[in-house]
Amino acid sequence: MKIGDKVRFLSETGGGVVAGFKGKDVVLVEDEDGFQIPTPVSDVVVITTEDYSMKRMVGSGKQNAGQEQNAKNGMEEEERSSVRSVKSLLGDTGSFEEADDDPSDRPITYHKKQELKQLGNKLTVSIAFVPGDITKLDSTPFDAYIVNESGYNIHYLIAAREEQAWRFVAQGNLSPDSQKLITTVPHDSLNALDVVAVQLSAWKEEGLFLLKPAVDARLRIDPLRLMKTGAYAESPRFQTSVLSYSIVKDDVVARPVVVDRDNLKADMYHKDSVKVTKKENHETKRDDGTIVVDLHADELLDTTEGMDAADILQYQMDTFNRIMKENIKNSGQKIIFIHGKGAGVLHAAIIHELGYRYKHCRWQDASFQQYGYGATQVTIR
């Protein structure tokens, strides 16, 4: 066996042309798309051998009929012998190129080229929360996985915000089309993950690839959402339903709201109007008549494209005031506004409105057991 021979795989469909060798145990098989697949020599078989001297002899047109027949017979014999196992060819000296390093000292890892073509050249990475017991979302711990759905290797660094600084959570490398457990979060520690920073770099180990810019994303992890059964969806990667937060999807980095308190007020009063696409049914009513309104941007809006932090906050406050005005005459009505912990800007804006516009109403922190940190209960009076 030598460079240029056509081979097929024994343990799976497909094959290609021998492009080179790594030591005596690994052959590089180049498929029709130009990808070189490192393959154990015991897992391929030669189906056609290129013999350039024979090709010149046959193509010259100078052989007599007997020579042409001999050439034909020789080619048929060579084709019959080519079905021998590659193991039987190991004794043919000079057929393999010696490498400086021994490939047996390191693991052989590769992906089938059919899979890599499906993954394409777009970077898609997310964090998935897997509940320990999905029937007990109000008390179960959660496993957090980083999921790489692209054809790239990635290096990741994950940190959680703690006041004005950051606390290390995890770092490491992740192979294409795979996932890895990064941490297990006890239920009573969910609020420590209110904002998570994720930094990524991506590359491919073999062949040419499109260089990706480094990713620096911020994710707001809402503990209340983790306790909603309807927030979970089935995933072929896990045996139970999961709640996923996108870090980057098809090369587009997720950019949730990160609010700057110092500049927000000025921005709110100097912004042109923007077009928003709102969601319906973002308020619910409990059996006891209490109205529950989730003011998170992803609950109010289908998309925040074209909106900055000031635009989103203005829309959240417009929703708050609308709900208050609709119920202002309903004495005794209780309304729960879920605003999240975050940077505290939305909470501060709500308290300001209550103290300025709705002084006659009473307000307090809502039940932590039901809504976690980041909810205010208002009672109309």
Side-chain angles (χ1 to χ4, degrees):
M1 184 175 64
K2 56 185 177 296
I3 295 175
D5 289 353
K6 293 182 179 180
V7 297
R8 63 179 176 83
F9 301 127
L10 292 175
S11 62
E12 58 183 279
T13 60
V17 178
V18 175
F21 302 88
K22 287 188 175 181
K24 295 183 178 181
D25 300 319
V26 180
V27 59
L28 299 177
V29 180
E30 182 173 315
D31 67 5
E32 59 182 9
D33 295 315
F35 292 102
Q36 292 185 1
I37 310 171
T39 308
V41 293
S42 59
D43 198 37
V44 298
V45 63
V46 179
I47 57 174
T48 303
T49 301
E50 294 288 355
D51 189 333
Y52 296 101
S53 62
M54 182 64 73
K55 291 173 69 175
R56 288 195 298 270
M57 182 171 62
V58 174
S60 65
K62 297 181 181 180
Q63 295 85 352
N64 56 32
Q67 289 174 322
E68 293 178 356
Q69 184 62 40
N70 290 337
K72 181 178 180 182
N73 293 340
M75 293 177 68
E76 290 175 350
E77 176 62 27
E78 187 174 4
E79 183 172 355
R80 285 193 298 270
S81 65
S82 68
V83 299
R84 291 180 294 163
S85 166
V86 175
K87 275 189 173 180
S88 67
L89 299 176
L90 291 176
D92 298 341
T93 59
S95 297
F96 293 88
E97 298 176 355
E98 294 291 336
D100 294 334
D101 57 342
D102 187 353
S104 63
D105 293 337
R106 61 184 187 276
I108 302 172
T109 57
Y110 65 93
H111 287 262
K112 299 177 184 179
K113 296 311 166 190
Q114 299 94 315
E115 295 177 356
L116 291 180
K117 287 196 297 184
Q118 292 175 0
L119 293 171
N121 288 310
K122 298 289 188 179
L123 191 62
T124 297
V125 183
S126 61
I127 289 180
F129 284 89
V130 181
D133 186 345
I134 200 168
T135 65
K136 299 179 180 179
L137 294 178
D138 59 346
S139 60
T140 189
F142 294 84
D143 288 336
Y145 287 80
I146 184 166
V147 180
N148 180 11
E149 299 181 67
S150 71
Y152 283 78
N153 295 280
I154 64 168
H155 178 80
Y156 60 87
L157 170 64
I158 302 174
R161 187 174 66 181
E162 192 167 297
E163 297 181 353
Q164 301 303 315
W166 297 90
R167 174 173 47 82
F168 173 82
V169 174
Q171 68 87 29
N173 294 329
L174 192 57
S175 301
D177 194 24
S178 62
Q179 61 274 347
K180 181 186 292 186
L181 177 67
I182 53 177
T183 187
T184 297
V185 187
H187 192 275
D188 57 4
S189 299
L190 291 176
N191 287 286
L193 295 178
D194 63 334
V195 177
V196 173
V198 182
Q199 296 179 334
L200 304 175
S201 57
W203 75 96
K204 290 186 179 181
E205 293 183 347
E206 296 183 3
L208 300 177
F209 63 91
L210 299 177
L211 190 63
K212 302 295 181 182
V215 173
D216 186 2
R218 302 289 185 273
L219 305 180
R220 180 175 59 80
I221 309 299
D222 182 5
L224 183 61
R225 191 178 180 196
L226 286 168
M227 288 180 269
K228 292 182 178 179
T229 305
Y232 292 80
E234 292 184 358
S235 170
R237 296 177 177 272
F238 301 95
Q239 296 180 347
T240 184
S241 297
V242 303
L243 173 56
S244 295
Y245 287 85
S246 175
I247 301 170
V248 54
K249 184 175 182 180
D250 293 336
D251 285 346
V252 179
V253 180
R255 299 192 181 279
V257 182
V258 179
V259 180
D260 184 345
R261 289 172 179 252
D262 297 331
N263 298 325
L264 186 58
K265 185 174 181 180
D267 288 343
M268 286 181 62
Y269 296 102
H270 295 86
K271 293 295 295 182
D272 296 330
S273 60
V274 295
K275 183 179 180 180
V276 298
T277 305
K278 64 180 181 179
K279 288 184 178 180
E280 302 297 335
N281 301 323
H282 49 263
E283 60 182 275
T284 58
K285 203 164 189 177
R286 293 189 342 200
D287 292 340
D288 62 1
T290 301
I291 297 173
V292 181
V293 182
D294 195 333
L295 293 177
H296 284 123
D298 53 2
E299 293 292 335
L300 296 177
L301 301 164
D302 284 327
T303 177
T304 57
E305 184 176 358
M307 303 175 71
D308 61 14
D311 298 325
I312 295 172
L313 179 60
Q314 186 63 63
Y315 188 83
Q316 291 169 316
M317 292 308 301
D318 288 346
T319 302
F320 168 80
N321 282 301
R322 177 178 60 80
I323 297 296
M324 289 296 296
K325 290 175 182 178
E326 289 175 355
N327 294 276
I328 199 64
K329 295 182 179 180
N330 302 330
S331 180
Q333 176 68 60
K334 293 181 179 179
I335 308 173
I336 305 293
F337 292 101
I338 301 171
H339 44 72
K341 186 180 176 184
V345 176
L346 178 56
H347 177 237
I350 289 174
I351 298 303
H352 177 270
E353 287 291 283
L354 289 170
Y356 178 71
R357 295 178 184 268
Y358 311 103
K359 296 180 181 180
H360 58 286
C361 295
R362 186 177 60 196
W363 62 89
Q364 65 189 64
D365 290 339
S367 169
F368 168 75
Q369 290 185 340
Q370 289 183 292
Y371 305 104
Y373 292 115
T376 299
Q377 176 179 298
V378 178
T379 303
I380 305 295
R381 299 178 62 182

